[in-house]
């Protein structure tokens, strides 16, 4: 029982380590453990829609006048767009320097079923934002239209008479409180969930782990290096000099959501944990977390944006297609849009890659090349997505003169 006294993130780390060993050495054993991961994920999914709805609505109503909302929204979007752009350029520079696709033997392409149906266009991304039926979006868990509806709903709550405004505001605040309490309860089971998910994935991929790593090592290394620069240099610099907080103290506070993002490969599933940590550990006000984080979980995906760019460039290199500067800029812009449009679920980035390949005229079958190594890269890019969301909440909070728990004291700065 002593293990229960350990801090949660240590429990998760231990679970992660044991899961890798277990999945690798006892692949038959996962029959008895996989359910833990499934229940954990289902429980997270269970809270997401009501959590997002209530948090955005109460976040928007608590911001008060339209001017206030516009200012916060503007800052938030500015942060999202600039960090994603930094991320994409980091990837673009590295992929041009390392050139991982040059000299790769073609021929081990797998075909992806239904790729052509999935291939979307830039237009599709915009069309997905406005729901034709909000309940359908809720049932399907389509987060983008839910966010859109919740923001508008919140804005108009502010415009009705006091009697209704007060009761609706109180109602959504109350729902939000309850959803956060439920989340905190689920968070306690993270180590078990992580164990279930990771042991299953390891056992599934155990046979071809070495092959996967060998063939595509340089490509993976390029993505990982670029993600590392973004996570350990670019974002901490923003925290240090723009937000004026202690970057690694904040990172330390985020260990639980970051490890969960890594294990689940889903920003949306991690959202409840991210909200809990940013608010209760790093001390960002509820007003800011409840607006920025649900938005960030779908809109702000630095890791995905970076990945899309590197993957598209890699495919071009493998097929021996030279891309001009302008064509590369087109990839940058579509990578940004694709990352905004990608849902916070596993492999969403891979599906969105079809948008970029179509837009820039690259062969769609190229996806077959990178399919095999998508899982580990998905886990890593999701971690960076969540890390950037949390940094965004802190940066916006600091720009609104919030103290937080991670600000420098005068003597430290
Ligand atoms: N899995 C990622 C996320 O949830 C999206 C992606 O596939 O890039 O953040």
């Amino acid at each position: 029982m002593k293990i229960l006294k350990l801090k949660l993130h240590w429990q998760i780390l231990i679970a992660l380590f044991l899961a890798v060993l277990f999945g690798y050495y006892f692949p038959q054993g996962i029959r008895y453990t996989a359910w833990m991961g499934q229940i954990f994920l289902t429980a997270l999914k269970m809270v997401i829609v009501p959590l997002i709805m209530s948090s955005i609505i109460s976040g928007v109503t608590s911001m008060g006048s339209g001017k206030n909302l516009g200012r916060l929204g503007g800052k938030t979007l500015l942060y999202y767009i600039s960090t994603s752009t930094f991320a994409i350029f980091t990837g673009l520079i590295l992929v041009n320097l390392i050139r991982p696709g040059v000299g790769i033997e073609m021929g081990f392409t797998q075909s992806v079923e239904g790729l052509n149906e999935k291939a979307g266009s830039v237009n599709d991304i915009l069309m997905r934002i406005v729901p034709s039926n909000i309940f359908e979006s809720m049932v399907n868990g389509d987060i983008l239209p839910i966010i859109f509806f919740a923001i508008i709903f919140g804005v108009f709550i502010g415009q009705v008479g006091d009697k209704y405004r007060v009761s609706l505001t109180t109602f959504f605040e109350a729902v939000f409180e309850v959803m956060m309490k439920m989340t905190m309860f689920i968070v306690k089971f993270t180590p078990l969930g992580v164990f279930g998910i990771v042991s299953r994935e390891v056992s599934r991929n155990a046979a071809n782990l070495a092959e996967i790593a060998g063939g595509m090592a340089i490509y993976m290394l390029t993505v990982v290096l670029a993600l590392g620069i973004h996570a350990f240099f670019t974002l901490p610099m923003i925290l240090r000099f723009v937000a004026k907080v202690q970057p690694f103290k904040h990172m330390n506070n985020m260990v639980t959501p970051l490890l969960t993002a890594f294990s689940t490969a889903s920003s949306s599933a991690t959202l409840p944990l991210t909200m809990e940590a940013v608010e209760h550990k790093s001390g960002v006000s509820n007003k800011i977390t409840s607006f920025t984080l649900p938005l960030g979980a779908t809109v702000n995906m630095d890791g995905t944006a970076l990945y899309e760019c590197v993957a598209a460039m890699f495919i071009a290199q493998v097929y021996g297609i030279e891309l001009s500067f302008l064509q590369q800029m087109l990839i940058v812009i579509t990578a940004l849009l694709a990352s905004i449009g990608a849902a916070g679920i596993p492999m969403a980035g891979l599906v969105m890659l079809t948008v970029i390949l179509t837009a820039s005229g690259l062969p769609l079958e190229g996806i077959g090349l990178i399919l095999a190594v998508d899982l580990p890269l998905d886990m890593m890019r999701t971690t960076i997505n969540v890390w950037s969301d949390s940094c965004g909440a802190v940066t916006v909070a600091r720009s609104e003169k919030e103290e937080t728990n991670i600000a420098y004291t005068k003597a430290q700065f």
Side-chain angles (χ1 to χ4, degrees):
M1 279 297 101
K2 218 162 181 193
I3 194 163
L4 291 178
K5 298 230 170 66
L6 282 176
K7 280 217 165 113
L8 186 64
H9 60 251
W10 284 112
Q11 293 181 30
I12 301 176
L13 273 175
I14 294 172
L16 207 58
F17 177 69
L18 293 179
V20 173
L21 291 182
F22 187 82
Y24 194 77
Y25 290 107
F26 304 103
Q28 324 84 324
I30 59 146
R31 253 181 295 159
Y32 306 104
T33 56
W35 62 273
M36 296 193 291
Q38 235 137 26
I39 292 200
F40 177 66
L41 278 183
T42 315
L44 284 175
K45 282 192 197 138
M46 172 181 81
V47 292
I48 288 172
V49 172
L51 182 71
I52 292 184
M53 271 287 202
S54 58
S55 93
I56 295 194
I57 294 176
S58 60
V60 170
T61 48
S62 73
M63 274 178 225
S65 73
K67 220 164 114 200
N68 206 351
L69 175 66
R71 195 186 65 234
L72 265 185
K75 281 183 193 171
T76 309
L77 288 185
L78 179 69
Y79 171 91
Y80 290 167
I81 291 178
S82 35
T83 54
S84 298
T85 311
F86 282 143
I88 297 175
F89 276 102
T90 310
L92 188 66
I93 292 173
L94 285 195
V95 80
N96 274 309
L97 287 178
I98 302 177
R99 302 179 72 75
V102 175
I104 286 223
E105 284 293 322
M106 299 262 299
F108 81 119
T109 49
Q110 295 161 261
S111 65
V112 191
E113 272 172 51
L115 200 61
N116 281 323
E117 291 99 82
K118 276 189 187 147
S121 67
V122 174
N123 209 6
D124 288 348
I125 300 178
L126 296 175
M127 294 309 291
R128 282 186 23 217
I129 298 179
V130 185
S132 60
N133 179 345
I134 184 63
F135 292 101
E136 191 185 334
S137 307
M138 284 162 78
V139 170
N140 295 332
D142 283 341
I143 306 297
L144 228 45
I146 297 181
I147 293 178
F148 177 81
F149 184 85
I151 293 180
I152 308 266
F153 195 75
V155 168
F156 282 96
I157 286 183
Q159 314 222 334
V160 292
D162 269 1
K163 182 172 143 210
Y164 300 129
R165 188 175 50 79
V166 173
S167 45
L168 279 176
T169 311
T170 320
F171 172 76
F172 282 106
E173 275 170 10
V175 175
F176 179 61
E177 279 297 307
V178 176
M179 292 320 297
M180 278 307 268
K181 283 261 174 340
M182 281 172 71
T183 301
M184 273 142 91
F185 179 72
I186 299 172
V187 169
K188 295 205 183 94
F189 296 94
T190 316
L192 295 178
V194 163
F195 183 85
I197 299 168
V198 176
S199 59
R200 193 186 60 179
E201 291 303 335
V202 170
S203 80
R204 268 190 189 162
N205 295 301
N208 44 8
L209 274 186
E211 182 197 344
I212 291 176
M216 306 283 283
I218 303 187
Y219 161 67
M220 292 174 74
L221 206 75
T222 313
V223 177
V224 173
L225 207 64
L227 287 176
I229 293 176
H230 192 68
F232 292 105
F233 178 74
T234 314
L235 292 176
M237 291 301 264
I238 294 177
L239 286 182
R240 173 81 171 77
F241 293 106
V242 181
K244 301 202 170 49
V245 296
Q246 304 171 55
F248 295 100
K249 194 167 171 196
H250 176 54
M251 196 181 273
N252 198 25
N253 290 342
M254 287 302 121
V255 173
T256 299
L258 293 181
L259 288 174
T260 310
F262 183 79
S263 319
T264 59
S266 166
S267 316
S268 291
T270 312
L271 175 66
L273 282 65
T274 320
M275 292 181 71
E276 208 259 334
V278 174
E279 191 177 327
H280 294 130
K281 292 203 172 139
S282 288
V284 172
S285 74
N286 179 264
K287 178 176 133 189
I288 299 221
T289 51
S290 62
F291 176 70
T292 57
L293 290 175
L295 200 64
T298 17
V299 171
N300 180 44
M301 295 196 179
D302 295 5
T304 302
L306 183 156
Y307 166 83
E308 308 275 286
C309 174
V310 175
M313 292 293 298
F314 172 74
I315 291 174
Q317 289 173 357
V318 172
Y319 282 85
I321 303 170
E322 275 295 326
L323 292 175
S324 67
F325 179 75
L326 274 183
Q327 283 169 313
Q328 297 200 13
M329 288 307 111
L330 180 71
I331 292 190
V332 168
I333 295 169
T334 40
L336 180 65
L337 284 175
S339 74
I340 293 174
I345 54 172
M347 289 181 80
L350 193 73
V351 176
M352 287 315 263
L353 191 57
T354 55
V355 177
I356 300 175
L357 296 181
T358 320
S360 44
L362 291 169
L364 270 186
E365 311 80 64
I367 292 205
L369 273 175
I370 54 174
L371 195 63
V373 290
D374 191 60
L375 176 73
L377 296 181
D378 195 3
M379 295 161 83
M380 286 183 238
R381 65 183 187 251
T382 309
T383 312
I384 308 306
N385 292 346
V386 170
W387 170 229
S388 172
D389 293 341
S390 78
C391 295
V394 170
T395 310
V396 174
R398 292 288 290 155
S399 77
E400 292 285 300
K401 307 264 174 319
E402 280 188 15
E403 259 318 301
T404 71
N405 296 334
I406 46 177
Y408 283 102
T409 57
K410 285 234 164 52
Q412 279 170 314
F413 196 69

